[in-house]
Structure formats: C-alpha cells, structure tokens
Amino acid sequence: DAGVIQSPRHEVTEMGQEVTLRCKPISGHDYLFWYRQTMMRGLELLIYFNNNVPIDDSGMPEDRFSAKMPNASFSTLKIQPSEPRDSAVYFCASSRTGQRPQHFGDGTRLSIL
Amino acid sequence: AQTVTQSQPEMSVQEAETVTLSCTYDTSESDYYLFWYKQPPSRQMILVIRQEAYKQQNATENRFSVNFQKAAKSFSLKISDSQLGDAAMYFCAYRSGSRGAQKLVFGQGTRLTINP
C-alpha cells in the first residue's frame, strides 16, 4: 500500500502569498491529521478530521490557517496570507479507527521569505 | 493536559553498542498509548514501537525494546546492536485511551548519533 502522500515536498514563497499544502491519506484510513514541526515548538497538532469532518481545530494558530477535506482521499491546509513565522515542516498523518497508530507523510518544508 | 518530556536533547553511541533513550510523561489517565517515532534526516516520521498502558509486558520490535514503568510514568527506548541507520531524531509520544481520542502529544525529541 502507498503511504501518506504530501505535496509539495518543498515550498518557498514570499510573505503575503497564499500557500496550499496537499495530502492524500492511506486508503481506508478514516482519520487525517495535520501537524506542524518547528525548532521552537516541536511537533504540534493543528487539526484533525474523522470521516472528512473536522473534529478538533484547537491547534490552528489563527484565522490565516484553514483546512479542508472534501473527500476521503484528499485534504488541504491553506495559509492566507502567509508570514515568515509560518516557516516550518508541515506533516500530514492518517490512521484507522480502533486506536491504530498514525502513519505520517514525508512532510512539506515551507519557507516564507 | 498531558505532557511528554525527553530530557536528553542528544545522545551518541558506538556502532554495535546498546543505547537507552529516556521519556517521562504526565497524565491522570489510566488508559493510554505510548509510541516512539524515528525521524531520520530524510524527514520521515517512522513508527518504531508502541505500548498499550494496560499491558504489563514491554513491547519489543527486533532490536528495539521499551522499558515501560507505569507507576513512574517512564517509557524508555532501548536500541540494541546500534547500526548507522539508527541515526535520527527520536520522539516519544502519548495518546489518550479515551474513546475517540486521537491527539498525539510529542516530546521535544532526542538526537541520536551513531559513531562508527
């Protein structure tokens, strides 16, 4: 089975631009998670979905961040407008119901200049 | 709120030797899960091993084993016969066992270096 697929792998953009990160979870997984990793704060959960419905978005930093899951095989994390402090590695992960472990994608390294 | 602490920012070990990475956590729950994830320079987050709190037996996966001390809230990872490919950041993580709970809480990580 293919793992969690994220795109792009790297993104460099200027402050103020809109950024869209993409994720395809493992087929059959009904939970999808977005994490952010920075040196200062480590790995933080931003939001997670169950059956395409957002369950907990308490980790989303502010209104500039939004996430959607239009179907079971695709999710986006959007930042608009982007700021230099948003620079980080963003991970998507998925899991199956039943307290199964989360499987992570390779992450997107985002640099906002 | 649950917290996870990894007190060793960096560790190093000679190839073929054994190394133990420490992790402690704070929770008032009795049912939960603990994980160790490995993050090599390629940036992937790879699940190494998992432990259910209700199981007394320590989990083992080939050269990787844990020492789970529930009363002490300690969850250390032992890597035997260290190999160069084991060099990575290692993260300890906690997840509640409550029905529907999915959030992983991560420690700050330990960078493991393997000396040839």
Side-chain angles (χ1 to χ4, degrees), chain B residues 1-115:
Chain B
Q2 295 87 8
T3 58
V4 177
T5 302
Q6 294 178 249
S7 59
Q8 307 153 316
E10 296 183 353
M11 291 281 285
S12 63
V13 64
Q14 289 295 125
E15 191 177 3
E17 298 293 307
T18 295
V19 64
T20 299
L21 308 184
S22 300
C23 172
T24 58
Y25 56 94
D26 187 25
T27 184
S28 58
E29 298 178 323
S30 58
D31 185 22
Y32 50 87
Y33 300 81
L34 297 164
F35 306 85
W36 278 98
Y37 280 89
K38 168 186 176 181
Q39 187 177 37
S42 64
R43 204 171 68 209
Q44 286 178 293
M45 289 287 289
I46 303 166
L47 178 65
V48 175
I49 200 165
R50 150 193 169 132
Q51 175 79 42
E52 293 89 345
Y54 63 83
K55 289 187 178 179
Q56 291 187 333
Q57 186 172 7
N58 289 323
T60 299
E61 287 287 341
N62 300 314
R63 297 181 296 105
F64 298 87
S65 61
V66 299
N67 183 6
F68 174 48
Q69 302 288 329
K70 191 171 185 179
K73 296 180 183 174
S74 170
F75 183 61
S76 60
L77 175 69
K78 185 171 85 170
I79 306 174
S80 304
D81 185 24
S82 299
Q83 300 176 1
L84 295 178
D86 295 334
M89 283 289 289
Y90 285 82
F91 292 94
C92 179
Y94 171 102
R95 187 176 75 200
S96 169
S98 299
R99 184 180 175 83
Q102 293 290 332
K103 181 177 179 178
L104 276 175
V105 178
F106 286 90
Q108 287 296 96
T110 296
R111 183 176 301 280
L112 178 64
T113 302
I114 311 296
N115 300 313

Side-chain angles (χ1 to χ4, degrees), chain A residues 3-107:
Chain A
V4 176
I5 299 172
Q6 290 187 247
S7 64
R9 186 153 172 81
H10 305 277
E11 174 88 12
V12 181
T13 192
E14 292 189 346
M15 175 179 171
Q17 296 298 307
E18 178 178 288
V19 173
T20 300
L21 310 181
R22 297 173 175 79
C23 176
K24 177 180 170 57
I26 293 172
S27 178
H29 284 194
D30 50 354
Y31 282 90
L32 183 138
F33 307 81
W34 282 101
Y35 290 88
R36 179 172 67 176
Q37 184 179 32
T38 61
M39 289 294 292
M40 291 298 294
R41 300 174 67 90
L43 273 154
E44 310 171 271
L45 177 66
L46 300 178
I47 185 172
Y48 76 90
F49 296 82
N50 179 218
N51 291 323
N52 314 337
V53 176
I55 302 299
D56 183 353
D57 66 354
S58 60
M60 294 286 263
E62 47 198 274
D63 291 346
R64 298 183 299 104
F65 286 69
S66 63
K68 293 183 179 179
M69 192 165 186
N71 58 62
S73 59
F74 183 66
S75 176
T76 59
L77 178 67
K78 194 168 289 189
I79 309 172
Q80 167 64 22
S82 58
E83 297 182 4
R85 60 193 169 116
D86 302 331
S87 298
V89 178
Y90 290 81
F91 285 100
C92 178
S94 70
S95 68
R96 194 178 298 173
T97 295
Q99 299 292 4
R100 304 297 174 90
Q102 295 176 23
H103 296 267
F104 284 73
D106 288 348

